[in-house]
């Protein structure tokens, strides 16, 4: 089905893999792939596409085997709908991104590399995908992985597609590995500053407590949340051990039920922008969490902008918020990125006002693996049709001329 959006760009909504393949094979010009559209502002700004291909009609359950704990779905299936279906069998896809409530789709989450706090225990989505179907820009249909966990033959497309932001092709179908839903869950909260939170997170990583998630946010001066889940006895048994591990680093409170979920929702909000804010994400070694926070504070002071920080200190993942005039924000982001790069990390922009793009590069300098990335891109999308501009200078392939 072809529609036209408010900018007069053709919007295509294929209802099958074959229809999507015919569509891409029979057209030319720049393409943009879209699920629920929850992360359209992440990374670089793509050039205006000739066509937007939406996956909303590729949203069915293709196969579900509860005994093998696998499910195959169309890439346009919203995660929240999938979780509701799996709940009936006491299973779930062990993924809890903050964009789930906004309708984020399975394919979109894979393409953007989005994940949530439980990544600490279960891994990212790339670790939960065992097979994908990808439609290339020339209409070729490629399959990677399989329908069983042991199948690893051929290209490891799930890992190649993770975080590719739609630059390699249209993710059409995904096969996923599932987990049993935990019997019980409880969250410890500790009011601490970021340096103490980082120290606790490192001790947790070296312990046998196996938390499901560890998040810190600049909430009420600083709050560390640590989620434990499993059997009721196992969760209860880890409470005393956690208090001992924390020691004098802060008073420990325990949350369950609605109170527990309220804590995580509040911390999740720290990873979302308010109006006119800029969000940037950094990845570093977990041991550099406090250094990341200090660097952000110094960049904010030098540039005169307001900032905030939310971290997953056991993973070394950090979300910084910037608020101020675009030139000042650009200066602060550039200064913070310089410090993070010196730590061996990286910084990418996510949501931000368009004016900020004129002040600072959204993706920053290319990684050391950029040569491999460009080689792979030339092979899968030789005409550069898929989301040109989304990865900025990392993929310098010129966009083809737009045609109708």
């Amino acid at each position: 089905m072809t529609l036209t959006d408010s900018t007069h760009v053709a919007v295509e909504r294929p209802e099958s893999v074959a229809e999507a393949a015919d569509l891409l094979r029979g057209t030319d010009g720049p393409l943009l792939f879209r699920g629920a559209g929850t992360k359209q502002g992440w990374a670089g700004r793509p050039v205006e596409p000739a066509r937007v291909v939406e996956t909303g009609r590729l949203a069915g359950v293709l196969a579900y085997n509860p005994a093998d704990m696998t499910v195959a779905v169309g890439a346009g299936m919203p995660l929240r709908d999938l979780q509701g279906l799996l709940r009936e069998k006491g299973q779930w896809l062990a993924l809890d991104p903050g964009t789930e409530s906004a309708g984020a789709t399975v394919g979109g989450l894979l393409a953007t590399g989005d994940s949530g706090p439980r990544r600490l225990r279960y891994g990212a989505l790339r670790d939960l995908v065992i097979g994908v179907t990808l439609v290339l820009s020339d209409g070729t249909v490629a399959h990677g992985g399989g329908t069983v966990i042991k199948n690893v033959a051929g290209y490891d497309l799930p890992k190649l597609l993770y975080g590719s932001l739609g630059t390699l092709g249209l993710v059409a179908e995904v096969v996923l590995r599932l987990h049993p839903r935990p019997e019980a869950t409880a969250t410890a909260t500790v009011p601490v500053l970021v340096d103490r939170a980082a120290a606790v997170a490192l001790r947790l990583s070296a312990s046998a407590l196996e938390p499901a998630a560890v998040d810190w946010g600049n909430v009420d001066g600083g709050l560390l949340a640590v989620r434990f889940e499993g059997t009721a006895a196992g969760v209860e048994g880890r409470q005393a051990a956690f208090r001992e591990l924390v020691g004098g680093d802060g008073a420990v409170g325990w949350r369950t039920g609605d109170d527990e979920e309220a804590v995580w929702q509040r911390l999740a909000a720290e990873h979302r922008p308010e109006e006119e804010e800029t969000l940037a994400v950094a990845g570093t070694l977990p041991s550099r969490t406090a250094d990341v926070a200090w660097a952000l504070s110094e960049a904010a002071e030098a540039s005169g902008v307001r900032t905030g920080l939310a971290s997953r200190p056991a993973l070394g993942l950090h979300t910084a918020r910037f608020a101020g005039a675009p030139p000042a924000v650009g200066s602060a982001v550039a200064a913070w990125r310089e410090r993070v790069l010196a730590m061996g990390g990286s910084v990418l922009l996510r949501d931000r006002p368009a004016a900020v793009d004129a002040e600072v590069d959204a993706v920053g300098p290319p990684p050391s693996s950029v040569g491999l990335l460009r080689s792979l891109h030339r092979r899968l999308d030789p005409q550069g049709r898929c989301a040109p501009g989304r990865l900025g200078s990392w993929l310098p392939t010129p966009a083809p001329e737009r045609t109708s």
Side-chain angles (χ1 to χ4, degrees):
M1 176 180 292
T2 304
L3 301 174
T4 303
D5 68 9
S6 59
T7 62
H8 306 291
V9 173
V11 179
E12 309 283 359
R13 294 172 179 161
E15 299 185 15
S16 67
V17 173
E19 187 176 327
D22 289 342
L23 167 67
L24 299 192
R25 187 181 302 115
T27 60
D28 53 18
L31 299 165
L32 187 64
F33 306 121
R34 185 164 65 200
T38 59
K39 292 172 279 292
Q40 292 291 293
W42 288 20
R45 306 279 184 186
V47 302
E48 183 181 359
R51 284 172 177 79
V52 173
V53 182
E54 294 188 341
T55 60
R57 297 182 184 271
L58 300 172
V61 175
L62 308 174
Y64 178 28
N65 191 329
D68 287 344
M69 301 189 72
T70 60
V71 65
V73 301
M77 186 165 201
L79 177 62
R80 63 188 178 194
D81 293 352
L82 176 60
Q83 300 290 34
L85 176 103
L86 299 175
R87 184 183 296 274
E88 298 175 7
K89 297 292 185 180
Q91 297 177 348
W92 73 308
L93 177 64
L95 189 71
D96 57 347
T99 52
E100 178 179 348
S101 61
T105 63
V106 172
L109 290 165
L110 178 63
T112 57
D114 194 12
S115 60
R118 285 185 173 97
R119 175 176 174 174
L120 178 63
R121 179 169 184 176
Y122 298 100
L125 183 54
R126 65 184 176 191
D127 304 304
L128 304 174
V129 174
I130 56 178
V132 294
T133 297
L134 178 71
V135 183
L136 303 182
S137 60
D138 64 358
T140 300
V141 178
H143 303 278
T147 58
V148 294
I149 295 173
K150 65 180 180 180
N151 189 333
V152 294
Y155 263 131
D156 194 347
L157 279 180
K159 289 184 172 57
L160 292 177
L161 294 173
Y162 182 79
S164 63
L165 293 166
T167 59
L168 299 179
L170 172 67
V171 180
E173 298 175 352
V174 187
V175 185
L176 301 154
R177 176 166 63 99
L178 307 176
H179 285 79
R181 282 192 170 272
E183 175 186 319
T185 176
T187 291
T189 56
V190 188
V192 288
L193 298 178
V194 65
D195 55 344
R196 294 294 187 185
V200 171
L202 291 175
R203 293 203 296 269
L204 272 169
S205 297
S207 76
L209 292 179
E210 296 185 334
V214 179
D215 264 28
W216 178 89
N218 191 18
V219 174
D220 298 332
L223 183 69
L224 178 70
V226 181
R227 188 193 290 268
F228 296 100
E229 56 190 26
T231 65
V235 170
E236 184 177 357
R238 279 177 280 183
Q239 294 188 14
F242 180 73
R243 290 183 188 276
E244 183 178 349
L245 181 143
V246 171
D249 278 320
V252 179
W254 287 94
R255 311 288 184 91
T256 58
D258 291 343
D259 287 344
E260 178 183 17
E261 294 311 314
V263 169
W264 289 100
Q265 289 172 11
R266 191 174 184 190
L267 288 173
E270 295 298 301
H271 295 268
R272 295 193 292 266
E274 300 290 343
E275 188 176 356
E276 296 303 308
E277 279 190 334
T278 292
L279 253 60
V281 294
T284 65
L285 291 173
S287 59
R288 303 307 298 266
T289 295
D291 297 329
V292 168
W294 294 331
L296 179 63
S297 178
E298 291 172 0
E301 184 176 355
S303 303
V305 301
R306 301 183 305 281
T307 61
L309 182 69
S311 287
R312 296 192 171 124
L315 290 167
L317 300 175
H318 322 280
T319 300
R321 310 162 73 96
F322 300 82
V329 168
S331 176
V333 171
W336 187 54
R337 173 182 278 154
E338 182 178 1
R339 294 281 297 276
V340 171
L341 289 174
M343 301 175 201
S346 62
V347 173
L348 297 174
L349 292 188
R350 287 192 174 174
D351 300 287
R352 72 274 185 191
V356 171
D357 286 325
E359 307 296 336
V360 64
D361 188 346
V363 298
S368 59
S369 59
V370 70
L372 179 61
L373 172 65
R374 290 171 179 170
S375 176
L376 177 68
H377 184 254
R378 285 193 297 269
R379 183 166 186 176
L380 297 183
D381 182 26
Q383 293 183 330
R385 295 185 65 195
C386 298
R390 195 71 189 271
L391 287 179
S393 61
W394 297 10
L395 293 179
T397 305
E401 292 184 6
R402 179 175 172 176
T403 60
S404 57

